[in-house]
């Protein structure tokens, strides 16, 4: 299969996967016991109020009609419903929160990949030293730490002594300043730089440091493990031995032969970690009061507003489907055997 | 002075199931411009010998003895100095051409990397030019430099591997079962290529194989290994026409010979378990001529008519 | 007795010790520490005393002639932190046990069905399971737990759903590889019913694989449970639970009363680490990589 066909095939598969996920979301909402309205307003609300609210939300219609309506509003109208109390469109709420989550996810991935690849490569390079053992203990312990606990520890251990901010995305002053900027994309970094406000950008980065570190460290364990395992797998291959027989420098053997061939399993793993990244982001955002989609979910839970949770889950499904497409296309970039 | 002199080489592997002795005191030498065939069944230690010379044994291996290349002992050389020698003074071609090239690197980049690492080319273009020229002489079109290994056939890949082993004009090439993974037709082509290389480049070679027939074709002298020990060593022509060791004889009978009408006979029995080699002569459990003495006493390697042989019956 | 050798043996030894400790706590912890886990009231000789909140670790308190020691201090409501972390093991481990059992059972049944029946059913199930597998597990659990409400069974189900695909994928893989195995084909030719082929020939080969997945999936369940209760889902106060305590004590923890947060967090880490080490070490000892050369 050529590259073009491959990408087209994956493109065709993505909506299918999305459809499955959305169907799953829908049936979880409707089929599981528990009703969004009684959850919100208590079990003993008057019958006619309940009926009216149900009609408003279209919950009185037959299941298959609701299903079609749900898909129609998500896919065609890009409508995720409104919040139960303030009647704000959920899609608007998510749109304002999404940039923060994207920023955090990117920063955390950089931290995780940085730590993981560095430790994995060092383990493979100095296989006979104590380092691989250390890396192994590190990744097991990091895997066992709940991300919110790690966040709390960093807040107490790092932020308190150093004066780093522990909550929010910006200092209050800059929050106000940001609102008055002419160029607005929702991405604080882009907005502040586009408007020449380096101070806001710096403030943002300082605020992002701890959450990114928390989520990044949490994910670095698995990156360390997988980097090490896949690099050492490549390091026992014939081509690695042949490279050594040709007198290629050991670091080059580790990077060009070991790591370069390990990229394929690493990429698979990185794709799967997107799930852990998004899940971890909910807890990290809650811990640091980072106003992203994850915190929105938490607020939705607190307010018992199910429209928010459902809308966020729908958006997460979209992200997951997109990422799996990206990962698949990325294969063709790292593996020449897929390319032809 | 011999180009390569292996002296009393012992190699042990520590495995989970015990210590395996792969080589038990092997001594041999390769002269300038000479091809020494090393022949034996699997488990005889012949591949261990090749890897030990270029010091690429797994870490579980324990090595004693010395490997002198041009008078320098490779077994005690610092890692960095050894690295400079590998590829430039001694190089190796491996058995499986399907796995010995980096799948994510273009053929050309293998050459560029090698030549730049050893300072044999100043620029990429220079390296590619030299590589293209060599590949064409080895029967691979120059355009292949732009391809990835998986786009080449097995034979072409082995030619590339040979090219990588030759491009820095090393004085010794170790060829470890380089035709075993190929089909008969391609095997023939590669053997012809080896003979041509031998003629044109005058490169010394350690030609490791299980096939006595190939040794007869390309080697000047042959060392027969059995269970980690030398059984016989001498001029190929003499060894082939008049084998002294019963094992050599058995090996000769087990391979088809060109124009030979002799009946093919596999060697009976199995090579010994090297965690626990048999006492006395290691070949005695499979030897048709074994006597009581062979079971008890280890035969020394002695000279006989310009040849070395380790057999009670022939010395 | 010899000392353990290598990472796997040490891991197994340490992991087993931790697992044993936490199982013991889950079984007996609550009865050992008494009422102070859930209330700050001590009754001595018919008189009621209130334990003050936020006592630091090691505090001693004499009430009615009896001395009480709070080795881990008291929380923001005056409850004994030690008593809470000890008795917290029961809820977590019950949830982990239930959810692992549910997901292993459902995953296995679906995997057997999908692998054995094949065809359209297999395609649909695989697509659904793969999509679920790719979806963030915690978020899936959050959605379900939010709907189901509080209770051991509810939170267990929410977590179980997340791990069904892991078992499904593994079991399906084994079934597919076994379906064409000679002994299975022989049974088919001999006229064995599908039921007996699955239960007598395939299931016995699946079980060891499932067992090898159990400890790590148990560890994952504990982490997910902690995440859910940290978000306030699935649990009702005053049930002692580590994640929930971390959530409720967060402000005090950040204000400097470190013992409120440090100890429950440590319990989560150690219990997860215990099961993780057992799972990983067992896998490594049972399927060692090939011995070099």
């Amino acid at each position: 299969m050529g590259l073009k066909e491959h990408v087209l095939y994956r493109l065709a598969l993505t909506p299918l996967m999305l459809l499955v996920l959305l169907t799953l979301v829908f049936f979880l909402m409707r089929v599981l016991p528990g009703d969004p309205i009684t959850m919100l307003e208590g079990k003993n609300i008057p019958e006619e109020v309940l009926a009216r609210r149900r009609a408003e939300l279209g919950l009185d219609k037959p299941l298959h009609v609701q299903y079609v309506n749900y898909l129609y509003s998500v896919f065609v109208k890009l409508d995720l419903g409104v919040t139960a109390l303030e009647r704000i469109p959920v899609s608007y709420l998510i749109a304002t929160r999404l940039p923060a989550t994207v920023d955090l996810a990117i920063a955390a991935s950089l931290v995780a990949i940085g730590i993981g690849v560095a430790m994995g490569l060092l383990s493979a390079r100095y296989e006979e030293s104590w380092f691989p053992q250390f890396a192994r203990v590190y990744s097991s312990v990091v895997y066992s730490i709940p991300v919110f606990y790690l966040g709390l520890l960093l807040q107490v251990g790092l932020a308190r002594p150093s004066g780093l901010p522990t909550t929010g995305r910006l200092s209050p002053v800059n929050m106000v300043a940001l609102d008055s900027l002419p160029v607005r994309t929702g991405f604080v970094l882009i907005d502040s730089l586009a408007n020449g406000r380096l101070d806001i950008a710096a403030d943002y980065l300082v605020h992002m440091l701890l959450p990114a570190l928390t989520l990044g460290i949490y994910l670095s364990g698995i990156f360390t493990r997988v980097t090490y395992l896949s690099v050492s797998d490549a390091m026992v291959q014939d081509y690695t031995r042949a490279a050594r027989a040709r007198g290629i420098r050991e670091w080059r053997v580790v990077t060009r032969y070991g790591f370069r061939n390990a990229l394929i399993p690493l990429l698979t793993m990185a794709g799967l970690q997107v799930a852990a990244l998004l899940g971890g982001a909910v807890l990290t955002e809650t811990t640091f009061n980072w106003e992203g989609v994850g915190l929105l979910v938490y607020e939705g839970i607190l307010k018992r507003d199910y429209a928010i949770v459902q809308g966020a889950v729908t958006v997460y499904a979209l992200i997951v489907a997109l990422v799996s497409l990206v990962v698949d296309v990325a294969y063709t970039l790292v593996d020449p055997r897929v390319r032809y | 002075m011999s180009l390569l002199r292996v002296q009393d080489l012992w190699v042990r592997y520590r495995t989970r199931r015990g210590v395996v002795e792969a080589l038990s005191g092997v001594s041999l030498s390769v002269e300038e411009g000479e091809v020494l065939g090393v022949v034996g069944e699997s488990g005889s230690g012949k591949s261990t010998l090749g890897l030990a010379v270029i010091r690429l044994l797994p870490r579980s291996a324990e090595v004693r003895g010395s490997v002198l290349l041009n008078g320098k002992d490779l077994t005690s050389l610092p890692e960095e100095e050894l690295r400079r020698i590998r590829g430039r003074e001694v190089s190796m071609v491996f058995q499986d051409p399907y796995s010995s090239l980096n799948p994510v690197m273009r053929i050309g980049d293998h050459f560029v990397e090698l030549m730049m690492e050893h300072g044999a080319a100043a620029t990429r273009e220079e390296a590619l030019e030299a590589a293209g020229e060599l590949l064409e002489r080895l029967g691979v079109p120059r355009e292949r430099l732009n391809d990835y290994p998986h786009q080449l056939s097995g034979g072409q890949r082995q030619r590339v591997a040979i090219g990588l082993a030759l491009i820095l004009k090393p004085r010794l090439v170790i060829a470890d079962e380089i035709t075993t993974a190929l089909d008969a037709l391609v095997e023939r082509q590669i053997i012809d290529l080896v003979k041509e290389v031998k003629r044109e480049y005058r490169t010394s070679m350690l030609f490791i194989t299980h096939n006595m027939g190939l040794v007869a074709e390309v080697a000047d002298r042959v060392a027969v290994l059995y269970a980690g020990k030398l059984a016989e060593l001498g001029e190929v022509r003499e060894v082939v026409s008049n084998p002294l060791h019963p094992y050599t004889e058995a090996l000769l009978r087990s391979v088809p010979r060109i124009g030979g009408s002799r009946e093919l006979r596999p060697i009976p029995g199995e090579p010994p378990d090297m965690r626990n080699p048999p006492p006395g002569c290691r070949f005695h459990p499979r030897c048709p001529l074994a006597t009581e003495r062979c079971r008890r006493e280890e035969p020394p390697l002695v000279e006989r008519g310009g040849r070395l042989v380790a057999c009670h019956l022939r010395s | 007795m010899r000392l353990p050798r290598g990472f796997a043996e040490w891991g197994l030894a340490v992991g087993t010790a931790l697992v044993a400790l936490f199982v013991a706590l889950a079984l007996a912890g609550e009865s050992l520490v008494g009422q102070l886990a859930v209330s700050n009231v001590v009754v001595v000789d018919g008189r009621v005393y209130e334990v003050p909140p936020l006592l630091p670790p090691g505090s001693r308190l004499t009430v009615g002639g009896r001395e009480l020691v709070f080795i881990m201090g008291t929380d923001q409501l005056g409850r004994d932190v030690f008593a809470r972390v000890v008795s917290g093991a029961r809820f977590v481990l019950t949830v982990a046990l239930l959810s692992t059992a549910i997901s292993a059972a459902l995953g296995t049944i679906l995997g057997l069905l999908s692998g054995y029946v094949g065809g359209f059913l297999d395609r649909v199930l695989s697509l659904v399971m793969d999509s679920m597998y790719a979806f963030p597990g915690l978020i899936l659990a959050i959605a379900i737990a939010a709907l189901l409400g509080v209770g051991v069974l509810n939170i267990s189900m929410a977590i179980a759903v997340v791990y069904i695909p892991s078992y499904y994928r593994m079991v399906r893989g084994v079934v597919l590889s076994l379906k064409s195995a000679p002994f299975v084909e022989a049974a088919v030719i001999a006229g064995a019913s599908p039921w007996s082929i699955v239960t007598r020939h395939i299931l016995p080969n699946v079980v060891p694989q499932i067992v090898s997945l159990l400890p790590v999936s148990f560890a994952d369940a504990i982490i997910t449970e902690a995440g859910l209760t940290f978000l306030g889902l699935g649990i009702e106060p005053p049930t002692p639970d580590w994640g929930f305590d971390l959530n409720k004590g967060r402000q005090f923890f950040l204000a400097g009363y470190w013992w409120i947060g440090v100890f429950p967090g440590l319990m989560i880490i150690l219990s997860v680490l215990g099961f993780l080490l057992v799972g990983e070490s067992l896998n490594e000892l049972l399927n060692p990589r090939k011995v070099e050369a």
Side-chain angles (χ1 to χ4, degrees), chain A residues 13 16-18 20-21 24-25 28-30 32-36 39 133 136-137 139-141 143-149 152-153 155-156 160 166-167 218 225 229 232-233 236 271-272 274-276 278-280 282-283 286-289 297-298 301-302 304 306 309 312-314 316-318 320 324, chain C residues 6-8 124 127-140 142-150 154 157 161 169 216 219-220 223 226-233 242-243 246-247 250 253-256 258 261-266 268-270 272-274 276-277 280-281 284 289 292:
Chain A
L13 211 61
L16 196 62
M17 185 176 173
L18 187 61
V20 169
L21 281 172
L24 216 65
V25 172
L28 279 177
M29 307 298 158
R30 296 297 182 275
L32 285 181
D35 179 295
M39 267 189 60
Q133 301 288 333
R136 219 177 142 173
V137 173
S139 56
S140 290
V141 170
Y143 187 90
S144 307
I145 300 183
V147 60
F148 51 89
Y149 185 54
L152 290 172
L153 290 181
Q155 284 179 336
V156 171
R160 230 148 240 296
T166 54
T167 56
Y218 162 68
R225 181 74 56 92
L229 286 182
S232 22
D233 260 4
V236 297
L272 286 175
V274 170
L278 292 175
V282 174
L283 296 171
T286 305
T287 311
F288 288 96
N289 226 23
V297 170
Y298 179 62
I301 295 170
L302 285 187
R304 304 193 155 254
Y306 216 70
V309 178
V313 169
T314 308
Y316 283 125
L318 196 74
V320 165
S324 74
Chain C
F7 195 92
V124 171
L127 189 62
V128 172
M129 289 292 160
D130 284 350
S131 305
M132 279 170 72
Y133 190 75
F135 196 77
L138 183 68
I139 293 168
L140 195 59
I142 287 173
I144 302 170
L147 254 183
L148 289 179
V150 297
N154 287 340
M157 294 218 291
V161 171
R169 285 158 66 115
V216 175
D220 284 340
I223 277 239
L228 290 181
T229 54
F230 178 74
L231 295 175
L233 288 165
W242 305 323
L246 267 170
N247 182 10
R250 207 164 119 197
F253 179 63
L254 292 177
W258 57 269
V262 164
F263 296 116
L266 272 180
I268 302 175
I269 295 182
L270 291 178
V272 175
L273 198 60
L276 188 70
L277 284 177
E280 290 191 339
S281 311
E284 193 173 317
R289 283 195 181 190
E292 270 186 294

